[in-house]
Amino acid sequence: MDSVLAFVIGVVIIVIGLAVSIGLHEIGHLVPAKLFGVKVTQYMIGFGPTLWSKRKGETEYGVKAIPLGGYISMIGMFPPAKGERAGADSTSFFRGLVQDARDSSSESITAGDEHRAFYLLPVWKRIIVMFGGPFMNLVLAVLLFAVLLMGFGVAQASTTVGSVSACALPATSERQTCEPGDPAAPGAAAGIEPGDRIVSVDGTPIDSWVQSTAIIRDHPDEPIDLVVERDGSEVTLTVTPMLSERYATDEQGRVVTDAAGDPVTVQAGFVGIGAATETVQQPVTAVLPAVGENVAGVAGIILNLPQRMVDVANAAFGPDERDPNGPMSVVGVGRVAGEIASLDEIPLASKAAGLVGIVGSLNIALFVFNLIPLLPLDGGHIAGALWEGIRRTFAKLFHRPDPGPVDMAKLMPLTLAVVVILGGMSALLIYADIVKPVALF
């Protein structure tokens, strides 16, 4: 029962975190819009039926039943068409979409507020209004990652031995347990014990586990002195690393992969010891690089989204396993959060850090995803404003008539296609997260 309650608490925390993130995203649009004089009629968190609302001034603030998004309603989102009659575009479904968007935008402008329409704002002000939402998610992500890295800290390999292997298995071995006939690991034979803190290797003082590993890998079949601190005293051991197939690593100790993404193997010295981890609080200078890495990771997923969705479909409807680094829906995110919260093997601080990291990653995903230059996303409006600015700049340079605002309403058929595609992707991810969830533990 306790684990079930903890699971529910984890899910609730993520739901609240997502709602707050969405609310702040919309505030990022609301505040600059009001500052620039645009009339904002609604500020809503969620979609569907309204659960609660209150009007303050000219704006209705409320919460809706489905907390999977939010919006603000600004009057005059689209400019009126040039030289077209009101009913002239109703001859086809797609033209009807365009005209309906124009009509809805026109009807939102009440008498006396004509000068407060969104499309009348200068280009740079429209960009600020539309970028304000994603920017709020970026700011929130930076704050959350600062709490995660500087407050909770990051688990890192220490210079203390955490495990000693009894045998030596190649890096690509499918077995994880020793069997009779397997060669003994040099570390165990030399008398290295879990809890030993490595002081020096081959006469070189050791500051990090990566440093000790590099020295060991460079001395296969050569006896080297290993000084460890055990029970407050230094003990000198002699160990002979054996030549073994190991994964190639870079200077940070990360496994090197080839062009296909497969790990590269090399022949190197091997002792058979593993590091104990310790939580280390990071400096403030580590926050922005961490956020940048996450932004790049999300951007990479989006750029390869078609193939990623094919992989999700193959896993959902076939025997394949889900990619832990692939996309998932809010259902999958909630499930992961619940599993973290219900784990008995990790302390409360680690659970809290995991949930903070999830909310931070969600905000990075909201930041990157909303900047895709397609309507109805914020990036689509930003792209339209930039294109308008380019057109007007060239017209001014070449002394041509002002082309006027870009008619974004013409993109309504494309917007509908984007909405249908996003809806289908969301449905697939939700289904996959139910029948074939991502296994992280």
Side-chain angles (χ1 to χ4, degrees), residues 29 39 52 69 106 126 132 155 168 184 191 201 237 282 306 325 348 352 364 419 428 437-438:
H29 294 310
K39 184 176 181 179
W52 171 87
S106 178
R126 271 180 281 158
V201 178
L237 305 171
Q282 304 298 300
N325 297 315
L348 181 61
I364 287 178
V419 170
L428 173 60
V438 174

Side-chain angles (χ1 to χ4, degrees), residues 75-78 98-109:
I75 67 170
M77 287 296 295
F78 303 114
V98 174
Q99 189 60 45
D100 287 345
R102 290 177 182 147
D103 291 343
S104 177
S105 175
S106 178
E107 292 168 1
S108 70
I109 303 175

Side-chain angles (χ1 to χ4, degrees), residues 407-421:
D407 189 1
M408 299 290 287
K410 290 182 178 180
L411 297 177
M412 282 301 105
L414 175 61
T415 302
L416 176 62
V418 172
V419 170
V420 170
I421 292 172

